Amino acid sequence: MPRLFGTDGVRGLANGPLTADLALGVAQAAAVVLTQGRSAEARRAEGRRPTAVVARDPRISGEFISAAVAAGLASSGIDVLDAGVIPTPAAAFLIADIDADFGVMVSASHNPAPDNGIKIFARGGRKLPDIVEDRIEEHLGLPNLTPTGADVGRIRRFSDAEDRYVLHLLASLPHRLDGLHVVLDCANGAAAGVSPEVFRVAGARLTIIGDEPDGLNINDGVGSTHLDRLAAAVVEARADIGIAHDGDADRCLAIDAEGNIVDGDRIMAILALGMAERGALRDNTLVTTVMSNLGLRVAMEQHGIRTVQTKVGDRYVLEEMNEHEYSLGGEQSGHVIMRDFATTGDGILTGIQLVSQMARTRKSLAELASVMTVFPQTLVNVRDVDHHRLEGDETIAAAVADAERELGASGRVLLRPSGTEPMVRVMVEAEATETSDRIAHRLADVVRGALGS
């Protein structure tokens, strides 16, 4: 039986695998697991109930799923503050800001509207470690908390949720955005209510697209997974920069004035240099995943900045950052974590910090992004193979060693088994596309021969 929690919470087709009953059960199980600590017991001893923040993105199914989550929590004796439609990083911030015991965000991020998901955050707005998610899953079907009378939880509107978050973001700015024209793509998602306000108050002149969520159009041809419309809007408006969020606004990708994409790697490079100049880059270290482009590491080395790599997934970036108290990390996909201001990826925070660096340096986004040369990258998915045997296969190991010798310091090889299907991902970076293509397909053939049935 597959694990209920994936790399970013529980996710699936709403009213398919992800039903109201499942949402209710997950909330009740989370109430048991996450209110066993000393702080929750201390609250009870003082006559106070544990508290949770519940929020959602604007997709239509979020209405009944968040209602089921709130019902599951309140029936377990948890007071619920319903923050309504806000970004995922806003929910994480609010959990920490009011010292709630935990919180739940109902969102499927960049997925299409029929999907939805349940993300649970611990005290302080931190993502749950795998072991805690496993305990919640194990508790499904076991006895729940069943208070009665005055001991059941209350559900109240979190009336100033947006205002708290907006003020927090504005307080993070090292430099105002005056004089810069920004095109915002809110993905018809959770950013639509907050992001324009933050950029406008910070001084930017705005053109906005993807800001009319109707419950069904989230991520539909807009947002960080569909950048063509934003690129055209930037060029047409003669804007300085385009900022794209995804459905729950935990990602940020950018478009320069010429309509070119600036991905998460180059955004991290720009922010790392700016933070280093201000003395804000702790231990002069940037945390990335193994999928970040080799060009990022090379650029950072040239400027005296160390890079640390983790497994793919922003949760692993966060674990590394929290363990060593690093201040900046993220993924090529646009999940950028600025630990001094957020406990998770925050697309609005990333966007205003990026535009702030443009304003401070008086440089265009293209000039700032030129600090990093992107190495050609070829990715080949080798399907229908026994990916569990990848590690330890001597034939594959020898082929990888040969490829690494050929590439030397000017490239790299990465083979990763899929976590969800019988597939191995072969990634090769090199100074020339012809080289990365040739070596990647050669390795893919070796993997297919060694692991195929």
Side-chain angles (χ1 to χ4, degrees), residues 48-344:
R48 296 183 295 155
R49 285 182 290 267
T51 303
V53 174
V54 174
R56 64 183 179 90
D57 72 23
R59 68 190 74 215
I60 189 170
S61 60
E63 296 173 6
F64 78 79
I65 294 173
S66 63
V69 167
L73 296 178
S75 69
S76 302
I78 310 295
D79 281 343
V80 175
L81 283 171
D82 181 1
V85 175
I86 58 172
T88 290
F93 163 74
L94 292 167
I95 294 163
D97 193 47
I98 67 167
D99 193 28
D101 292 87
F102 63 99
V104 181
M105 178 71 190
V106 176
S107 174
S109 192
H110 60 279
N111 283 27
D115 292 339
N116 218 320
I118 300 172
K119 306 179 185 183
I120 303 176
F121 292 89
R123 177 183 291 280
R126 298 180 183 274
K127 290 192 174 184
L128 299 182
D130 290 348
I131 190 171
V132 177
E133 290 181 338
D134 290 341
R135 286 171 56 200
I136 293 172
E137 184 171 350
E138 289 165 3
H139 195 82
L140 286 170
L142 297 178
N144 296 310
L145 302 172
T146 54
T148 58
D151 292 328
V152 301
R154 307 294 298 269
I155 302 174
R156 296 184 175 89
R157 174 69 180 157
F158 198 153
S159 58
D160 62 343
E162 276 197 14
D163 291 341
R164 285 174 179 255
Y165 180 54
V166 168
L167 291 173
H168 162 68
L169 292 175
L170 292 171
S172 77
L173 272 180
H175 197 285
R176 284 183 55 82
L177 316 184
D178 301 282
L180 289 171
H181 184 181
V182 179
V183 180
L184 281 183
D185 183 348
C186 298
N188 289 321
V194 177
S195 192
E197 180 180 358
V198 172
F199 276 89
R200 189 175 289 115
V201 174
R205 181 161 64 94
L206 293 182
T207 298
I208 310 171
I209 63 175
D211 63 333
E212 298 180 352
D214 61 10
L216 298 172
N217 61 358
I218 189 170
N219 301 315
D220 186 8
V222 289
S224 62
T225 53
H226 304 279
L227 293 170
D228 290 351
R229 185 178 169 195
L230 176 61
V234 170
V235 173
E236 181 180 355
R238 297 183 179 179
D240 298 293
I241 183 174
I243 296 291
H245 303 305
D246 61 341
D248 69 337
D250 64 353
R251 294 190 192 192
C252 171
L253 294 177
I255 300 291
D256 70 19
E258 302 300 318
N260 301 307
I261 296 173
V262 177
D263 67 7
D265 282 346
R266 286 192 283 181
I267 290 172
M268 286 190 289
I270 294 167
L271 295 180
L273 290 180
M275 291 172 66
E277 290 170 3
R278 303 195 310 273
L281 187 66
R282 198 155 298 121
D283 291 342
N284 236 30
T285 298
L286 170 67
V287 182
T288 69
T289 74
V290 293
M291 289 304 291
S292 277
N293 192 273
L294 178 60
L296 176 57
R297 189 179 75 194
V298 171
M300 294 298 94
E301 287 176 352
Q302 291 172 346
H303 289 83
I305 295 173
R306 184 171 72 106
T307 54
V308 175
Q309 290 190 328
T310 73
K311 293 190 294 184
V312 174
D314 64 331
R315 66 188 304 153
Y316 302 112
V317 174
L318 268 167
E319 286 175 6
E320 182 71 19
M321 293 177 69
N322 288 334
E323 182 177 353
H324 299 283
E325 298 188 351
Y326 297 133
S327 52
L328 181 65
E331 297 186 283
Q332 193 179 67
S333 61
H335 283 118
V336 177
I337 303 156
M338 305 188 76
R339 190 174 172 275
D340 290 341
F341 307 109
T343 59
T344 186

